Amino acid sequence: MDLSGIGAVLFDMDGTLVDSDAAVERAWERWASEYAVEPAAALAISHGRPADQTIRRLLPALDDAAAAVAAARQLALQYDDLSDVTATPGARELLSTLTRSGVPWAVVTSADVRLAEARLGAAGIAPQVLVTVEDVREGKPAPEGYLRAAALLDVPPARCLVVEDAEVGLRAGRAAGAMTAALKGLDGDVRLDDLGQLARRFQAATAAS
């Protein structure tokens, strides 16, 4: 895939720019024990989704008020668990490459703003644009978050590259009309082992232009 036409890069946060997998799993495992849910069932569907969507699927009998309390509890378990949160391999190299190349970038996450700012801060990442679950009416796999980020960067979605490590996020990127780069063995327009690979591809594209 030719990266020379990419006008902006839109990143997922957890598992993509920020290595927070252990913290996410700890929070869901503890939440599951409190709500008598099988932890494996929670972990199987939680990655990349807003907490309230996951809880609706796990506990469909909850009314709106109870579901909101359950979602708030799940997020509360994550806010202060930052001890092993760090940037993913190649993340800083890629962000530096984009900045030098003049390619704008944004973070689009299913986390709320408090959690997003905490994890990005722990990883030493300061996004130019941050779109959280609080900024959209419908979270991933709906495309709204990625469409909003593209609009804020003033780049058409078709010239954006969405970088994701979860199928639900890749679906959101495709629905937005963007190109996709996929981590963790998932299928996208570009497949990546880590973000360093994408940094080197951007460097090569810049050198060739």
Side-chain angles (χ1 to χ4, degrees):
M1 180 179 134
D2 182 9
L3 297 180
S4 61
I6 297 297
V9 181
L10 313 179
F11 294 97
D12 172 53
M13 183 180 72
D14 290 311
T16 298
L17 273 184
V18 176
D19 184 355
S20 55
D21 289 355
V24 171
E25 290 179 7
R26 286 193 297 267
W28 277 109
E29 287 169 352
R30 182 169 174 186
W31 179 92
S33 69
E34 293 178 4
Y35 279 82
V37 171
E38 176 60 41
L43 292 173
I45 65 170
S46 62
H47 191 55
R49 294 182 186 274
D52 61 342
Q53 286 187 17
T54 299
I55 287 164
R56 285 290 190 190
R57 293 183 64 180
L58 291 169
L59 299 172
L62 292 183
D63 61 26
D64 288 347
V69 169
R73 173 57 179 159
Q74 206 287 325
L75 287 171
L77 290 168
Q78 299 191 52
Y79 288 140
D80 298 321
D81 189 353
L82 303 172
S83 61
D84 52 2
V85 172
T86 187
T88 56
R92 292 194 180 94
E93 179 189 2
L94 175 54
L95 297 180
S96 295
T97 297
L98 296 178
T99 299
R100 288 195 304 271
S101 302
V103 178
W105 57 277
V107 172
V108 179
T109 176
S110 297
D112 67 7
V113 67
R114 177 180 170 185
L115 183 58
E117 289 179 346
R119 285 192 175 146
L120 289 166
I125 294 171
Q128 299 167 354
V129 166
L130 174 62
V131 177
T132 74
V133 71
E134 294 167 307
D135 297 314
V136 299
R137 291 167 296 179
E138 192 173 0
K140 302 172 187 178
E144 186 179 353
Y146 284 120
L147 291 172
R148 180 177 176 84
L152 289 170
L153 293 175
D154 196 25
V155 177
R159 293 191 60 224
C160 292
L161 179 66
V162 165
V163 185
E164 276 275 0
D165 75 318
E167 183 56 41
V168 66
L170 290 167
R171 286 168 55 195
R174 294 186 195 105
M179 292 167 279
T180 58
L183 292 157
K184 298 183 179 176
L186 297 176
D187 191 25
D189 296 305
V190 180
R191 288 189 176 189
L192 302 172
D193 293 326
D194 59 47
L195 295 183
Q197 281 186 319
L198 191 56
R200 292 185 287 276
R201 293 189 65 165
F202 268 105
Q203 291 162 7
T206 300
S209 62

